[in-house]
Amino acid sequence: MSGSFKTSSFDPSKGAESMWQAMDQLRSQFEKRVGTRMGRGDVRVSVLALLKEEPMHGYQIIREIEERTEGSWKPSAGSVYPTLQLLADEGLITAAESNGRKTYTLTDAGREEAEGADATPPWEATGSRDLHAMGELPKAGINLAQAAAQVGRQGTPEQVKEAASVLDETRRRMYAILAQD
């Protein structure tokens, strides 16, 4: 990972506080660079693609996106519902009340928009990394950072030194993965 993270952030002579800072920095870098957030246009493209298949209510859309991305992206209601309102304002969808829920359906203009869209929904994108795999590495990194931070806070000096050695070995093994053919 390029950027401001320095692999030399941990200084064993400075003890647990240094390890905590290094792990917090690692967690922060993962969340900023490799998080599971999608771009603004991805919500719109995804909603249009799903409504092209069948009418749905907002919660169904959220759940369907989460399923199709194998849990790596679950858009919030705060991004889906405003998108639905915008699409309705643009005349691309209509909403009908059914069983106490609004069910959204594409209009003819919405169907044309969905058919002619250049963008591909994230779960159909070709040539991109598998969304599920993209979500696994940051989560594993965050879990590792949390475990290391706990050792740094609660471990003896010997345990902290051993944990630093394990992390250093893990880093070397990670680079060895990239070096494989």
Side-chain angles (χ1 to χ4, degrees):
M1 177 183 332
S2 64
S4 60
F5 185 76
K6 299 174 186 80
T7 56
S8 61
S9 296
F10 177 69
D11 181 353
S13 67
K14 293 186 180 170
E17 183 59 30
S18 179
M19 179 179 278
W20 171 250
Q21 288 173 349
M23 291 300 103
D24 192 45
Q25 188 177 9
L26 175 64
R27 180 190 52 76
S28 175
Q29 290 296 316
F30 267 124
E31 288 175 347
K32 285 181 190 170
R33 295 180 186 271
V34 196
T36 56
R37 289 185 165 263
M38 294 289 176
R40 289 180 187 219
D42 289 321
V43 176
R44 179 184 178 95
V45 168
S46 298
V47 168
L48 288 171
L50 291 173
L51 293 179
K52 185 169 75 170
E53 294 175 10
E54 66 179 298
M56 293 185 181
H57 57 77
Y59 178 72
Q60 280 177 295
I61 292 169
I62 293 169
R63 194 177 61 227
E64 192 66 29
I65 291 171
E66 182 181 22
E67 273 183 34
R68 291 186 188 206
T69 61
E70 299 178 357
S72 67
W73 179 37
K74 181 180 180 183
S76 68
S79 63
V80 170
Y81 286 101
T83 300
L84 289 167
Q85 184 60 52
L86 179 63
L87 292 170
D89 292 347
E90 292 175 3
L92 300 177
I93 64 172
T94 59
E97 191 81 25
S98 172
N99 296 329
R101 293 181 180 230
K102 283 186 180 180
T103 300
Y104 300 92
T105 306
L106 288 177
T107 62
D108 290 338
R111 188 158 299 287
E112 285 180 33
E113 174 90 8
E115 297 286 341
D118 290 334
T120 305
W123 59 86
E124 290 179 3
T126 57
S128 63
R129 289 184 181 167
D130 176 67
L131 287 170
H132 184 65
M134 280 178 35
E136 288 179 8
L137 185 60
K139 287 176 187 174
I142 290 168
N143 289 340
L144 176 63
Q146 290 170 340
Q150 187 170 359
V151 171
R153 286 189 306 270
Q154 297 175 337
T156 65
E158 294 79 22
Q159 290 170 324
V160 169
K161 187 174 181 177
E162 183 180 349
S165 177
V166 167
L167 289 175
D168 193 43
E169 174 62 23
T170 301
R171 179 185 52 79
R172 283 194 298 275
R173 292 182 63 194
M174 294 286 287
Y175 283 120
I177 290 170
L178 288 176
Q180 295 173 1
D181 285 332

